[in-house]
Amino acid sequence: MATLEAIKYKNGQLEILDQLLLPESCTFIPIRNVQDAWAAIREMKVRGAPAIAIVGCLSLAVELRKLAALETKKEIYRFVKEKLDYLVTSRPTAVNMQLAAEACIKLSTRLMEDVSVDVTEAKDATLKHLEATLANDVADNLAIGEHGATDIQKKVNKDKVRIMTHCNTGSLATAGYGTALGVIRSLHTANMLDQVYCTETRPYNQGSRLTAFELVYEKMPATLICDSMAAAAMKQFNIDAIIVGADRVAANGDTANKIGTYQLAVLAKCHNVLFYVAAPFSSIDFEIPSGQSIPIEERPHSEMTHTGSIRTAAAGINCWNPGFDVTPAEFITGGIVTEKGVFKPDQLASLKV
Ligand SMILES: CSC[C@@H](O)[C@@H](O)C(=O)COP(=O)(O)O
């Protein structure tokens, strides 16, 4: 199934769909270098944990392709490390950019130390690694979709299911297909989706602006709700499962995701609704034992006090605007859906590679 495309890369040319302009306008903007990518990530022109890492890696590929002047493998290593270290500082909560940077720096170190590899081969191997991120992510998402849909079908045991989701985890947040929205897409393709309820996702409205846009685009049976309607909707519509994405999953399964995820998980427990997290392995941070160590991004207060340029909150009020919250592993009752299968949170630690 053709899904929306938010990241376009060909022969060293990178363009991204400016998500700040959605749903009014579909405008692609060029990313000419790592600095452009850093700014696009920071300003949330591209957002969503996997998409952030892919655009970061591809922006480095753009620069590396243009670079003729590097004469030694050490110069390539230094160039790659400096650029990736910088990209990691763009946003703090999602771990995907950090893990992608660590993997690429490790590769660059290995190529530098391998005497059988010359400079051109080292550069080509690094480029190949960076450019593969796009296709790898789509393949991972297709597998996540399959595993998630099969697990939900097995546990819910109904012909058609009602799903709730939060934030945006679709083609716009990934290289294509999506993670949690990928599972919903797979259910829809298998004619097993009765209805998906997507939350508005205040204050940045990734749900109403982006997920709703994708759902309409894909013609899925979907209903938008405000975040404050989640409990009522669970009760009224007999939701079968909630599925969300992740920005960072700790080794014990605690999961950081868009603010509002934790309250959905608590509500799911009260209403006996299965709660799933869908994320690629590149969102799992095996180095941190629990969600307590996950850095939570604080966002500008204007996201809460204004709608566009219009102030909707009383002037002078103090605000608290964390971009993410942490759902304790015990609330993830359905499981963590990855490209390698569906796991209970307490199974994760043993999967460290
Ligand atoms: C597949 S994306 C999973 C998460 O990154 C997503 O749910 C989310 O929280 C995105 O937050 P955002 O602040 O829009 O980057």
Side-chain angles (χ1 to χ4, degrees):
M1 184 198 289
T3 64
L4 275 170
E5 199 183 9
I7 305 169
K8 289 185 184 172
Y9 180 83
K10 208 168 180 192
N11 302 330
Q13 306 280 329
L14 174 61
E15 286 189 335
I16 60 160
L17 185 59
D18 184 345
Q19 298 191 25
L20 295 181
L21 304 179
L22 285 171
E24 285 83 24
S25 143
C26 279
T27 306
F28 279 85
I29 53 167
I31 300 290
R32 285 166 290 241
N33 49 44
V34 162
Q35 210 144 9
D36 280 359
W38 190 94
I41 295 167
R42 176 60 72 100
E43 291 161 21
M44 288 174 72
K45 288 179 179 165
V46 58
R47 28 69 48 211
I52 289 171
I54 294 160
V55 169
C57 287
L58 292 179
S59 71
L60 176 55
V62 170
E63 282 205 37
L64 204 54
R65 266 185 182 267
K66 281 195 232 145
L67 217 69
L70 297 181
E71 282 171 5
T72 66
K73 289 193 290 176
K74 191 160 194 168
E75 280 177 320
I76 298 179
Y77 166 80
R78 281 204 187 125
F79 180 81
V80 164
K81 180 161 178 0
E82 187 195 317
K83 301 281 176 182
L84 288 170
D85 284 348
Y86 170 62
L87 281 164
V88 168
T89 64
S90 52
R91 287 187 75 192
T93 302
V95 74
N96 308 55
M97 186 66 243
Q98 184 194 316
L99 295 184
E102 283 169 12
C104 189
I105 291 167
K106 200 167 158 191
L107 171 72
S108 195
T109 310
R110 193 160 50 72
L111 293 166
M112 179 174 65
E113 287 166 356
D114 187 342
V115 286
S116 70
V117 174
D118 68 21
V119 188
T120 312
E121 286 167 340
K123 186 177 163 185
D124 288 349
T126 311
L127 268 173
K128 197 172 160 201
H129 174 85
L130 291 167
E131 290 174 345
T133 50
L134 205 53
N136 289 346
D137 189 58
V138 177
D140 288 347
N141 293 343
L142 286 165
I144 288 171
E146 270 308 305
H147 290 309
T150 306
D151 200 80
I152 290 173
Q153 184 185 33
K154 200 171 71 193
K155 288 184 180 142
V156 173
N157 199 19
K158 282 187 188 168
D159 289 345
K160 292 210 175 211
V161 291
R162 292 181 180 173
I163 305 288
M164 187 179 282
T165 191
H166 187 57
C167 196
N168 175 263
T169 60
S171 299
L172 299 169
T174 62
Y177 205 77
T179 55
L181 204 50
V183 173
I184 294 166
R185 222 182 281 281
S186 294
L187 287 167
H188 179 56
T189 307
N191 201 24
M192 281 165 47
L193 182 66
D194 178 20
Q195 190 75 205
V196 50
Y197 295 86
C198 83
T199 60
E200 197 180 21
T201 319
R202 280 278 293 149
Y204 210 65
N205 292 338
Q206 287 93 332
S208 55
R209 288 194 301 114
L210 308 176
T211 303
F213 181 79
E214 290 202 39
L215 293 169
V216 171
Y217 182 89
E218 306 273 356
K219 298 189 174 56
M220 289 195 228
T223 303
L224 176 67
I225 59 166
C226 297
D227 301 11
S228 51
M229 299 167 189
M234 276 180 220
K235 193 165 182 185
Q236 176 128 349
F237 302 122
N238 291 320
I239 305 291
D240 296 299
I242 299 178
I243 182 150
V244 298
D247 288 84
R248 192 185 299 231
V249 181
N252 71 343
D254 290 353
T255 296
N257 192 49
K258 181 52 54 194
I259 190 72
T261 302
Y262 175 32
Q263 69 193 17
L264 291 182
V266 173
L267 289 173
K269 203 152 207 178
C270 289
H271 291 86
N272 210 15
V273 174
L274 287 165
F275 191 90
Y276 286 90
V277 167
F281 258 63
S282 55
S283 298
I284 305 174
D285 187 348
F286 288 103
E287 299 307 316
I288 55 164
S290 78
Q292 266 185 340
S293 332
I294 300 178
I296 301 294
E297 178 183 8
E298 287 251 7
R299 305 276 315 156
H301 293 173
S302 56
E303 288 176 0
M304 294 170 66
T305 55
H306 288 67
T307 301
S309 57
I310 299 167
R311 178 178 266 281
T312 49
I317 188 68
N318 187 38
C319 296
W320 179 56
N321 187 16
F324 303 89
D325 56 28
V326 175
T327 299
E330 73 207 69
F331 288 89
I332 305 169
T333 51
I336 298 175
V337 187
T338 73
E339 65 274 27
K340 298 183 189 176
V342 183
F343 302 100
K344 290 284 170 207
D346 62 8
Q347 292 178 300
L348 276 194
S350 65
L351 301 169
K352 183 177 174 183
V353 276

